[in-house]
Amino acid sequence: MNVLILGSGGREHAFAWKIAQSKQLENLYIAPGNAGTALCGTNVAIQVNDFEAIKKLVWEKGIDLVLVGPEDPLVNGIHDFFLNDDVLKDVAVIGPKKDGALIEGSKDFSKRLMEKYKIPTASFMSFTKNNLEEGYKFLETLKPPYVLKADGLAAGKGVLILDDLNEAKTELKNMLLDAKFGNASATVVIEEFLHGIELSVFVLTDGKSYKILPAAKDYKRIGEGDKGLNTGGMGAVSPVAFADKDFIKKVEEKVVIPTINGLRSEGIDYRGFIFVGLMNCNGEPFVIEYNCRMGDPETEVVIPRIKSDLLDLLDGVAKQTLHEKTFEVINETATTVVLVSGGYPEDYEKGKVVKGLDSIKESQVFHSGTILKNDEVLTSGGRVFAITSFSNSIEGAVNKSMKAAQQIQYDKKYYRKDIGQDLINWKN
Ligand code: AMP
Ligand code: GLY
C-alpha cells in the first residue's frame, strides 16, 4: 500500500515510525512532516488544509490510504472532499467525515450525543446571546468552580474554569456578546465541575466494530507539579495505574459501545480514531470531551505499545473488516517526555541547532517541531521532541527518557522532570 500521513507533529512521527514497520507498506509520504518523519518516508511540503494540493499528490503517487493526524482538516471536511471527488472517492481516508468530526468540532453536539445515548458526563446546558440571562441563572444553580466551554474549536483555549460566580458571568458575557473566541464562542456550554483524575482512552473504529487502544495519562501544564499555563502536553504515560481492567470494562460498556452505536444511530459512518477524555470519579468514568483524532503526546506512548501491524488495522477500518483483525498490546510501561523551546506555550525562538540525537540508544525520539536544513536538525516549534522509553516500571522508563532528555542539546531547552512521578506509588 502507498500511504500518506497528514500532519507534522510527534503524533505523526509516531504513526510514520509504526507504519514504516508494516509488511504491507510500499511507499510512505508525510505532508508536511518534520525532520523525524523524513527518516521514515518522504516529506512533501503541502499543508494539511490544502485539499487541492493533497488531491494532486494522492493522484501522482497512487496513494491508497490517507491517515489524517490533526482535527483541523477533518472538521474542514477532508474526508467528504475525497468522497465527493471522482478521482479520490476510492482512496481510504482514516478519520471521520465532517458529521463525525463534530464530536470535537462542537461541544454542544458532543454533549447532546452523550445525553441522548446516556453516556456519563457532567450535567450541562448550552447558551447563545439570545438566552444570556438564562445562562446567568444556570450559573447561580451550580457550585464553584464554574466550567465554561466555547462550542467550537478555539486552539485548545476555549475552556474556562473559574472560582468566582461574578467572574463566570462576565466571561460568559465576553464569550457570547464580545466573541472572546470568535465564532467558536457563539454558543457556550456551561457544565458541572467533575472532581477526579483525568485520563485518555483511545478507540479505533470502522463504524461497527472497534479496538480499545492502551489508555494514557497526559501532563498538560508547563510547570512541575501541574502548575502554570496549559500546553499541548508535556509528557505521557501508558498504561495508567488508576485505569485497571475493571475500570476499562466500565469505559467500554458505558462509553465506548454507546458512543459507537449512538453515532451509527445518528446516521454517522465514523471510521477513524476516537479520543475519549475521561474523568475517573471514584472509579466511575465520566466523559469530559471527545476528539476525532489521536492525542499528542499520548500517541507517542500508545502507538509504540501496539504490537499488531497498524497499517493492517487501518486497512480494516477502511474496509470495515476491523473485527477480523487481531490486536495485541505490549505489556510494558511506556513513558514520553516532551522537550520544548524555552518560553513555550508563550513566545519562543526557533531555528536552534539540535545536537546529540545520535547518542540516544535506549529511547525512541519522536520529532515534533523540527526541520532539516542543510543536513542539520533545527527547532521549528514550541514542542520539539517527545522521548519515548519502555521498561517494566514507570521509574525505569522515565529514567531512560530523562537520560536522553539530557543528551539532546539545543539553546533554551526545557522539559518537566516529574513526568509519571504521581503514578509511581499509585494505590487504587
Ligand atoms: P476540554 O477542552 O473539554 O478537554 O477541557 C480542557 C480541560 O479542562 C480538561 O482537560 C479538564 O482538565 C478540564 N475540564 C473540562 N471540563 C471539566 C469538568 N466538567 N470538570 C472538571 N474539569 C474539566
Ligand atoms: N494531549 C492532548 C491532545 O492531544 O489534545
Side-chain angles (χ1 to χ4, degrees):
M1 259 190 278
N2 291 327
V3 175
L4 169 64
I5 299 174
L6 295 180
S8 60
R11 168 182 50 210
E12 286 76 21
H13 186 186
F15 278 145
W17 169 85
K18 180 70 179 163
I19 287 175
Q21 298 166 33
S22 170
K23 286 197 188 75
Q24 298 186 29
L25 181 73
E26 285 171 59
N27 296 300
L28 177 62
Y29 300 90
I30 309 96
N34 59 37
T37 61
L39 304 170
C40 311
T42 307
N43 284 351
V44 188
I46 292 177
Q47 297 308 312
V48 296
N49 284 310
D50 189 349
F51 295 178
E52 287 298 336
I54 292 168
K55 172 177 171 175
K56 195 157 164 270
L57 178 71
V58 167
W59 176 244
E60 279 171 10
K61 303 295 184 192
I63 303 287
D64 304 293
L65 183 143
V66 179
L67 170 57
V68 186
E71 65 279 13
D72 236 39
L74 294 168
V75 172
N76 292 339
I78 191 162
H79 197 155
D80 312 68
F81 175 83
F82 270 63
L83 288 173
N84 293 331
D85 189 293
D86 278 344
V87 173
L88 301 177
K89 65 180 188 312
D90 295 324
V91 176
V93 177
I94 306 301
K97 298 190 298 269
K98 238 177 171 169
D99 56 2
L102 274 182
I103 62 167
E104 176 164 2
S106 168
K107 302 264 186 208
D108 181 50
F109 172 85
S110 70
K111 293 293 287 192
R112 287 180 201 278
L113 186 83
M114 290 182 241
E115 188 174 49
K116 185 162 173 189
Y117 295 97
K118 303 194 166 46
I119 297 160
T121 188
S123 62
F124 77 103
M125 282 187 79
S126 299
F127 301 93
T128 65
K129 64 177 193 286
N130 300 326
N131 58 356
L132 177 63
E133 289 297 328
E134 285 169 45
Y136 293 155
K137 288 206 183 94
F138 184 61
L139 280 170
E140 283 164 12
T141 68
L142 298 175
K143 284 197 219 106
Y146 305 94
V147 184
L148 308 183
K149 299 186 171 182
D151 174 51
L153 293 183
K157 298 193 169 67
V159 175
L160 300 180
I161 299 183
L162 304 155
D163 288 321
D164 180 72
L165 179 62
N166 285 329
E167 207 185 329
K169 287 181 177 175
T170 306
E171 288 295 358
L172 180 64
K173 180 181 146 295
N174 291 344
M175 287 165 94
L176 291 176
L177 297 190
D178 306 331
K180 178 166 178 141
F181 300 109
N183 202 31
S185 64
T187 299
V188 172
V189 171
I190 302 180
E191 65 179 39
E192 163 205 14
F193 184 86
L194 296 169
H195 294 270
I197 327 163
E198 260 183 276
L199 75 152
S200 309
V201 171
F202 301 92
V203 182
L204 181 63
T205 179
D206 61 6
K208 290 181 175 162
S209 74
Y210 60 86
K211 307 284 184 203
I212 299 185
L213 313 185
K217 181 179 192 289
D218 174 21
Y219 293 77
K220 290 201 168 90
R221 301 298 188 96
I222 188 71
E224 285 162 21
D226 292 329
K227 302 233 162 53
L229 293 174
N230 251 323
T231 70
M234 296 296 293
V237 175
S238 176
V240 184
F242 54 83
D244 56 11
K245 263 204 176 112
D246 286 350
F247 182 78
I248 295 295
K249 188 94 202 129
K250 284 185 194 170
V251 173
E252 178 169 17
E253 285 167 2
K254 297 182 178 185
V255 177
V256 176
I257 295 174
T259 300
I260 289 171
N261 289 346
L263 287 166
R264 208 173 47 241
S265 303
E266 295 297 305
I268 296 171
D269 177 13
Y270 193 111
R271 301 190 198 188
F273 292 97
I274 304 178
F275 166 160
V276 191
L278 288 169
M279 194 72 89
N280 176 336
C281 304
N282 295 319
E284 288 299 320
F286 285 79
V287 177
I288 297 176
E289 62 162 353
Y290 293 116
N291 294 309
C292 62
R293 53 169 173 90
M294 285 294 289
D296 193 350
E298 294 94 325
T299 305
E300 291 93 300
V301 288
V302 172
I303 292 295
R305 284 196 63 217
I306 297 175
K307 201 187 269 176
S308 312
D309 182 332
L310 180 62
L311 188 50
D312 188 43
L313 290 167
L314 298 181
D315 192 40
V317 169
K319 297 184 175 136
Q320 285 195 319
T321 55
L322 191 58
H323 60 286
E324 294 170 9
K325 309 288 182 189
T326 54
F327 177 66
E328 280 184 283
V329 167
I330 296 169
N331 255 334
E332 278 186 284
T333 296
T335 61
T336 201
V337 172
V338 175
L339 305 191
V340 304
S341 302
Y344 172 81
E346 296 182 290
D347 289 345
Y348 55 84
E349 294 165 22
K350 296 182 188 175
K352 308 288 184 190
V353 177
V354 179
K355 300 275 182 220
L357 286 169
D358 292 340
S359 64
I360 313 297
K361 301 284 181 252
E362 290 187 307
S363 303
Q364 174 62 44
V365 180
F366 294 115
H367 292 228
S368 302
T370 66
I371 48 162
L372 263 186
K373 204 167 181 186
N374 305 328
D375 287 336
E376 274 191 319
V377 175
L378 303 183
T379 68
S380 70
R383 292 192 291 175
V384 184
F385 298 104
I387 306 171
T388 297
S389 313
F390 272 94
S391 178
N392 51 16
S393 68
I394 295 180
E395 290 103 311
V398 156
N399 286 343
K400 287 183 193 171
S401 290
M402 290 297 160
K403 190 172 146 203
Q406 286 166 2
Q407 285 170 296
I408 296 177
Q409 283 155 18
Y410 58 90
D411 186 31
K412 302 201 170 73
K413 172 183 79 179
Y414 170 78
Y415 57 100
R416 272 179 66 167
K417 299 181 185 63
D418 65 342
I419 302 301
Q421 294 303 319
D422 55 331
L423 296 179
I424 286 175
N425 294 313
W426 189 270
K427 297 258 176 326
N428 275 313

PDB file of all heavy atoms in Angstrom, residues 137-151:
ATOM      1  N   LYS A 137     -28.609  32.614  35.221  1.00  0.00           N
ATOM      2  CA  LYS A 137     -29.426  31.889  36.218  1.00  0.00           C
ATOM      3  C   LYS A 137     -28.911  30.468  36.414  1.00  0.00           C
ATOM      4  O   LYS A 137     -28.871  29.956  37.530  1.00  0.00           O
ATOM      5  CB  LYS A 137     -30.895  31.856  35.763  1.00  0.00           C
ATOM      6  CG  LYS A 137     -31.572  33.195  35.884  1.00  0.00           C
ATOM      7  CD  LYS A 137     -33.080  33.053  36.048  1.00  0.00           C
ATOM      8  CE  LYS A 137     -33.721  34.424  36.100  1.00  0.00           C
ATOM      9  NZ  LYS A 137     -34.196  34.895  34.785  1.00  0.00           N
ATOM     10  N   PHE A 138     -28.518  29.829  35.289  1.00  0.00           N
ATOM     11  CA  PHE A 138     -27.998  28.458  35.385  1.00  0.00           C
ATOM     12  C   PHE A 138     -26.712  28.439  36.223  1.00  0.00           C
ATOM     13  O   PHE A 138     -26.529  27.567  37.074  1.00  0.00           O
ATOM     14  CB  PHE A 138     -27.744  27.879  33.987  1.00  0.00           C
ATOM     15  CG  PHE A 138     -27.294  26.434  34.005  1.00  0.00           C
ATOM     16  CD1 PHE A 138     -28.094  25.426  34.529  1.00  0.00           C
ATOM     17  CD2 PHE A 138     -26.043  26.066  33.499  1.00  0.00           C
ATOM     18  CE1 PHE A 138     -27.674  24.100  34.567  1.00  0.00           C
ATOM     19  CE2 PHE A 138     -25.611  24.738  33.522  1.00  0.00           C
ATOM     20  CZ  PHE A 138     -26.433  23.760  34.052  1.00  0.00           C
ATOM     21  N   LEU A 139     -25.850  29.441  36.003  1.00  0.00           N
ATOM     22  CA  LEU A 139     -24.611  29.526  36.783  1.00  0.00           C
ATOM     23  C   LEU A 139     -24.922  29.612  38.277  1.00  0.00           C
ATOM     24  O   LEU A 139     -24.238  29.007  39.106  1.00  0.00           O
ATOM     25  CB  LEU A 139     -23.781  30.743  36.348  1.00  0.00           C
ATOM     26  CG  LEU A 139     -22.961  30.577  35.069  1.00  0.00           C
ATOM     27  CD1 LEU A 139     -22.378  31.910  34.614  1.00  0.00           C
ATOM     28  CD2 LEU A 139     -21.824  29.562  35.265  1.00  0.00           C
ATOM     29  N   GLU A 140     -25.985  30.358  38.603  1.00  0.00           N
ATOM     30  CA  GLU A 140     -26.345  30.530  40.024  1.00  0.00           C
ATOM     31  C   GLU A 140     -26.780  29.219  40.678  1.00  0.00           C
ATOM     32  O   GLU A 140     -26.700  29.059  41.889  1.00  0.00           O
ATOM     33  CB  GLU A 140     -27.465  31.576  40.158  1.00  0.00           C
ATOM     34  CG  GLU A 140     -26.930  32.993  40.001  1.00  0.00           C
ATOM     35  CD  GLU A 140     -28.035  34.021  39.751  1.00  0.00           C
ATOM     36  OE1 GLU A 140     -29.224  33.697  39.925  1.00  0.00           O
ATOM     37  OE2 GLU A 140     -27.686  35.157  39.351  1.00  0.00           O
ATOM     38  N   THR A 141     -27.217  28.241  39.865  1.00  0.00           N
ATOM     39  CA  THR A 141     -27.649  26.954  40.437  1.00  0.00           C
ATOM     40  C   THR A 141     -26.465  26.023  40.674  1.00  0.00           C
ATOM     41  O   THR A 141     -26.619  24.978  41.300  1.00  0.00           O
ATOM     42  CB  THR A 141     -28.635  26.215  39.499  1.00  0.00           C
ATOM     43  OG1 THR A 141     -27.908  25.798  38.323  1.00  0.00           O
ATOM     44  CG2 THR A 141     -29.816  27.075  39.114  1.00  0.00           C
ATOM     45  N   LEU A 142     -25.293  26.372  40.116  1.00  0.00           N
ATOM     46  CA  LEU A 142     -24.134  25.462  40.213  1.00  0.00           C
ATOM     47  C   LEU A 142     -23.235  25.846  41.374  1.00  0.00           C
ATOM     48  O   LEU A 142     -23.236  26.985  41.825  1.00  0.00           O
ATOM     49  CB  LEU A 142     -23.309  25.525  38.922  1.00  0.00           C
ATOM     50  CG  LEU A 142     -24.001  25.097  37.624  1.00  0.00           C
ATOM     51  CD1 LEU A 142     -23.078  25.345  36.434  1.00  0.00           C
ATOM     52  CD2 LEU A 142     -24.388  23.623  37.664  1.00  0.00           C
ATOM     53  N   LYS A 143     -22.439  24.849  41.806  1.00  0.00           N
ATOM     54  CA  LYS A 143     -21.415  25.129  42.827  1.00  0.00           C
ATOM     55  C   LYS A 143     -20.120  25.480  42.101  1.00  0.00           C
ATOM     56  O   LYS A 143     -19.844  24.936  41.034  1.00  0.00           O
ATOM     57  CB  LYS A 143     -21.162  23.859  43.655  1.00  0.00           C
ATOM     58  CG  LYS A 143     -22.251  23.575  44.667  1.00  0.00           C
ATOM     59  CD  LYS A 143     -21.702  22.573  45.691  1.00  0.00           C
ATOM     60  CE  LYS A 143     -22.740  21.570  46.079  1.00  0.00           C
ATOM     61  NZ  LYS A 143     -22.659  20.251  45.606  1.00  0.00           N
ATOM     62  N   PRO A 144     -19.264  26.348  42.665  1.00  0.00           N
ATOM     63  CA  PRO A 144     -17.977  26.603  42.015  1.00  0.00           C
ATOM     64  C   PRO A 144     -17.084  25.356  42.118  1.00  0.00           C
ATOM     65  O   PRO A 144     -17.325  24.533  42.998  1.00  0.00           O
ATOM     66  CB  PRO A 144     -17.394  27.761  42.832  1.00  0.00           C
ATOM     67  CG  PRO A 144     -18.092  27.711  44.149  1.00  0.00           C
ATOM     68  CD  PRO A 144     -19.439  27.089  43.913  1.00  0.00           C
ATOM     69  N   PRO A 145     -16.038  25.217  41.297  1.00  0.00           N
ATOM     70  CA  PRO A 145     -15.723  26.091  40.166  1.00  0.00           C
ATOM     71  C   PRO A 145     -16.702  25.933  38.995  1.00  0.00           C
ATOM     72  O   PRO A 145     -17.348  24.891  38.860  1.00  0.00           O
ATOM     73  CB  PRO A 145     -14.315  25.646  39.764  1.00  0.00           C
ATOM     74  CG  PRO A 145     -14.081  24.335  40.404  1.00  0.00           C
ATOM     75  CD  PRO A 145     -15.031  24.169  41.533  1.00  0.00           C
ATOM     76  N   TYR A 146     -16.779  26.981  38.184  1.00  0.00           N
ATOM     77  CA  TYR A 146     -17.694  27.024  37.045  1.00  0.00           C
ATOM     78  C   TYR A 146     -16.924  26.695  35.771  1.00  0.00           C
ATOM     79  O   TYR A 146     -15.825  27.207  35.564  1.00  0.00           O
ATOM     80  CB  TYR A 146     -18.319  28.425  36.947  1.00  0.00           C
ATOM     81  CG  TYR A 146     -18.987  28.820  38.245  1.00  0.00           C
ATOM     82  CD1 TYR A 146     -18.298  29.560  39.212  1.00  0.00           C
ATOM     83  CD2 TYR A 146     -20.283  28.403  38.527  1.00  0.00           C
ATOM     84  CE1 TYR A 146     -18.897  29.885  40.421  1.00  0.00           C
ATOM     85  CE2 TYR A 146     -20.898  28.729  39.732  1.00  0.00           C
ATOM     86  CZ  TYR A 146     -20.192  29.469  40.684  1.00  0.00           C
ATOM     87  OH  TYR A 146     -20.780  29.773  41.882  1.00  0.00           O
ATOM     88  N   VAL A 147     -17.509  25.838  34.947  1.00  0.00           N
ATOM     89  CA  VAL A 147     -16.837  25.405  33.715  1.00  0.00           C
ATOM     90  C   VAL A 147     -17.583  25.968  32.508  1.00  0.00           C
ATOM     91  O   VAL A 147     -18.759  25.659  32.309  1.00  0.00           O
ATOM     92  CB  VAL A 147     -16.787  23.856  33.617  1.00  0.00           C
ATOM     93  CG1 VAL A 147     -16.008  23.425  32.382  1.00  0.00           C
ATOM     94  CG2 VAL A 147     -16.181  23.247  34.876  1.00  0.00           C
ATOM     95  N   LEU A 148     -16.904  26.828  31.732  1.00  0.00           N
ATOM     96  CA  LEU A 148     -17.497  27.420  30.524  1.00  0.00           C
ATOM     97  C   LEU A 148     -16.716  26.921  29.319  1.00  0.00           C
ATOM     98  O   LEU A 148     -15.482  26.993  29.307  1.00  0.00           O
ATOM     99  CB  LEU A 148     -17.392  28.952  30.546  1.00  0.00           C
ATOM    100  CG  LEU A 148     -17.897  29.715  31.759  1.00  0.00           C
ATOM    101  CD1 LEU A 148     -17.751  31.210  31.511  1.00  0.00           C
ATOM    102  CD2 LEU A 148     -19.350  29.380  32.019  1.00  0.00           C
ATOM    103  N   LYS A 149     -17.423  26.423  28.312  1.00  0.00           N
ATOM    104  CA  LYS A 149     -16.743  25.887  27.129  1.00  0.00           C
ATOM    105  C   LYS A 149     -17.275  26.509  25.858  1.00  0.00           C
ATOM    106  O   LYS A 149     -18.479  26.417  25.578  1.00  0.00           O
ATOM    107  CB  LYS A 149     -16.944  24.367  27.042  1.00  0.00           C
ATOM    108  CG  LYS A 149     -16.372  23.614  28.223  1.00  0.00           C
ATOM    109  CD  LYS A 149     -16.447  22.113  28.032  1.00  0.00           C
ATOM    110  CE  LYS A 149     -15.670  21.421  29.147  1.00  0.00           C
ATOM    111  NZ  LYS A 149     -15.652  19.967  29.004  1.00  0.00           N
ATOM    112  N   ALA A 150     -16.380  27.125  25.086  1.00  0.00           N
ATOM    113  CA  ALA A 150     -16.765  27.595  23.747  1.00  0.00           C
ATOM    114  C   ALA A 150     -17.161  26.371  22.935  1.00  0.00           C
ATOM    115  O   ALA A 150     -16.487  25.335  22.985  1.00  0.00           O
ATOM    116  CB  ALA A 150     -15.591  28.307  23.093  1.00  0.00           C
ATOM    117  N   ASP A 151     -18.248  26.481  22.192  1.00  0.00           N
ATOM    118  CA  ASP A 151     -18.749  25.328  21.433  1.00  0.00           C
ATOM    119  C   ASP A 151     -17.752  24.846  20.377  1.00  0.00           C
ATOM    120  O   ASP A 151     -17.525  23.653  20.228  1.00  0.00           O
ATOM    121  CB  ASP A 151     -20.070  25.747  20.743  1.00  0.00           C
ATOM    122  CG  ASP A 151     -20.587  24.669  19.829  1.00  0.00           C
ATOM    123  OD1 ASP A 151     -20.693  23.520  20.284  1.00  0.00           O
ATOM    124  OD2 ASP A 151     -20.865  24.964  18.648  1.00  0.00           O
TER     125      ASP A 151
END
